[in-house]
Amino acid sequence: MDISPQNLIYHELIGLMVEVVDSTNQYLAGINGKVVDETRNILVIEVEDMYEKQVPKKGSTFVFHLPVGSGCSPATSVEVGGTLLLSQPENRTKNIRKLRMR
């Protein structure tokens, strides 16, 4: 299943371009780059070459930029609250099967 704005929170986020638009930590707002790792509570974003920032999911709002060939004809940006992403990545991606069965 292709990634789309409707099912973004069930897909693998590593490799997507992301921007932190709001955060409880004012120093994290405005960070943008590529997601290089993900844990249950944190997104690791590569800001510059060999420079990574750890951003907590809880209390942050992200804008993910979906690639053109991902089921969206124009490049699409999707705003997601970090609390929707709070789970282990491997468990969150398994939930897409439940969506398909509906």
Side-chain angles (χ1 to χ4, degrees), residues 27-77:
Y27 298 107
L28 297 177
I31 291 175
N32 57 27
K34 184 177 181 179
V35 178
V36 292
D37 197 10
E38 178 184 12
T39 66
R40 180 182 186 279
N41 297 313
I42 292 176
L43 281 181
V44 180
I45 302 171
E46 184 179 54
V47 180
E48 297 171 4
D49 291 336
M50 304 302 289
Y51 183 64
E52 297 176 349
K53 283 289 218 177
Q54 294 183 356
V55 180
K57 293 176 184 176
K58 185 175 182 180
S60 299
T61 304
F62 303 96
V63 172
F64 290 93
H65 304 283
L66 303 181
V68 175
S70 64
C72 314
S73 42
T76 305
S77 298

